[in-house]
Amino acid sequence: MPGRGNNGWRRRRLACRRIFRQGGARLQNSLPSDELLTLAVATARAAGAALAKRSDRTVNSETAHDIKLQADVDSETLIRERLLRTKLPVIGEEIGGDTSLLGRDEPYWAVDPLDGTYNYLRSIPGCCVSIGLWRGRRPVLGVIYDFWRDELYAGGAGLGLTLNGRDLKPRWAPDVARAVLCTGFPSSTDRSGDAVRGFVGRVEKFKKIRMIGSAALALAYVSASRVDAYYEESIKLWDVAAGLALVEGAGGYTSVAPVAGSPLAFNVWAAGRADLAG
């Protein structure tokens, strides 16, 4: 992020303060609001650096379509330790959290300590650390760190969007016929013939379709206009929390619909504009 003497940084500090004043956020016992983004950036970099140099790929559990590594747990532990000073609650992929926070007007962290775990296991580029700050069901700010490419995205609505501290001004495709969609199949996705045909019907209008194995990075790419849209069903909060904040920081469009019976799962569209979404 830019130094404190930078005009862009001053604007973001003021924007942070304004955002947290809205809705009467209870931050009396936390850090000053303008320091939360700075801490999230430093925390994501620290967790990413630890993952990048790690050689251990111990598998803790595996199902037909999912895998958990010890690296996921260790990364979340590091992140939680660093965020502890904010005195805000955390919902994380590995250690969990209080799901009732989604129904309350209070800020909390939503953390994916290693998004793209299978990519990481196989040394496929396409994984990251994702740290989002939400209030209820709305994103406030997000940080995504692609540690193998050393690319750190940060921002949120009213905060703009930066990549490695430099402001980004995205330029998305002029229409859906020339747009690139990023998508994926969460581990719980119905892969039956009828379900896949329905999925194809929703996405076939795009010029190109990409699956990169990381929802967080896919959303970061939307925010930076590397791709134009993202769509996924039954995706978990921690996978999209930071990325949705980035898309809103870039001035893009987001649609988040809760999945009945699964308090942390959502059907998500995000795009540069509403006409680029389904």
Side-chain angles (χ1 to χ4, degrees), residues 87 164 168 274:
K87 300 183 180 179
N164 289 344
L168 281 183

Side-chain angles (χ1 to χ4, degrees), residues 132-269:
L133 183 68
W134 276 40
R135 185 205 304 278
R137 295 186 185 274
R138 295 302 308 166
V140 176
L141 60 84
V143 174
I144 291 175
Y145 184 40
D146 180 348
F147 47 87
W148 276 338
R149 291 174 58 90
D150 191 26
E151 292 187 338
L152 190 142
Y153 304 80
L159 303 174
L161 171 69
T162 62
L163 173 56
N164 289 344
R166 295 186 177 183
D167 290 335
L168 281 183
K169 295 182 179 179
R171 302 178 70 176
W172 294 286
D175 53 61
V176 73
R178 285 176 278 185
V180 178
L181 171 76
C182 253
T183 187
F185 288 163
S187 57
S188 60
T189 297
D190 180 359
R191 290 170 165 82
S192 67
D194 287 345
V196 171
R197 281 188 288 272
F199 169 82
V200 171
R202 288 188 288 275
V203 303
E204 62 183 351
K205 62 185 177 180
F206 291 89
K207 187 175 184 67
K208 294 289 183 181
I209 299 171
R210 297 287 182 262
M211 291 188 181
I212 62 174
S214 168
L217 269 185
L219 284 162
Y221 288 174
V222 173
S223 73
S225 67
R226 290 181 177 175
V227 302
D228 304 289
Y230 163 83
Y231 164 65
E232 204 154 349
E233 293 187 346
S234 296
I235 191 71
K236 293 298 179 68
L237 168 69
W238 44 74
D239 293 305
V240 298
L244 288 168
L246 296 180
V247 173
E248 293 190 359
Y253 164 84
T254 64
S255 172
V256 181
V259 175
S262 185
L264 293 174
F266 301 91
N267 297 331
V268 173
W269 275 99

Side-chain angles (χ1 to χ4, degrees), residues 40-53 75 78-79 82 129 145:
V41 166
T43 300
R45 283 200 177 276
L51 289 165
K53 68 181 182 182
S75 181
L78 182 156
I79 291 168
R82 287 177 171 256
V129 174
Y145 184 40

Side-chain angles (χ1 to χ4, degrees), residues 7-22:
N7 287 335
W9 178 246
R10 291 196 193 97
R11 288 195 299 272
R12 288 185 181 88
R13 289 175 63 191
L14 292 173
C16 278
R17 292 171 182 172
R18 184 171 62 252
I19 288 167
F20 285 109
R21 282 199 299 267
Q22 295 170 355

Side-chain angles (χ1 to χ4, degrees), residues 84-152:
L84 188 63
R85 59 191 291 246
T86 70
K87 300 183 180 179
L88 296 176
V90 178
I91 298 177
E93 179 173 10
E94 305 306 319
I95 302 175
D98 181 2
T99 61
S100 71
L101 287 164
L102 279 81
R104 308 205 299 264
D105 186 30
E106 299 176 23
Y108 59 93
W109 298 106
V111 171
D112 193 332
L114 174 55
D115 193 43
T117 298
Y118 200 71
N119 286 350
Y120 182 77
L121 175 68
R122 301 291 299 272
S123 297
I124 301 170
C127 51
C128 63
V129 174
S130 176
I131 301 174
L133 183 68
W134 276 40
R135 185 205 304 278
R137 295 186 185 274
R138 295 302 308 166
V140 176
L141 60 84
V143 174
I144 291 175
Y145 184 40
D146 180 348
F147 47 87
W148 276 338
R149 291 174 58 90
D150 191 26
E151 292 187 338
L152 190 142

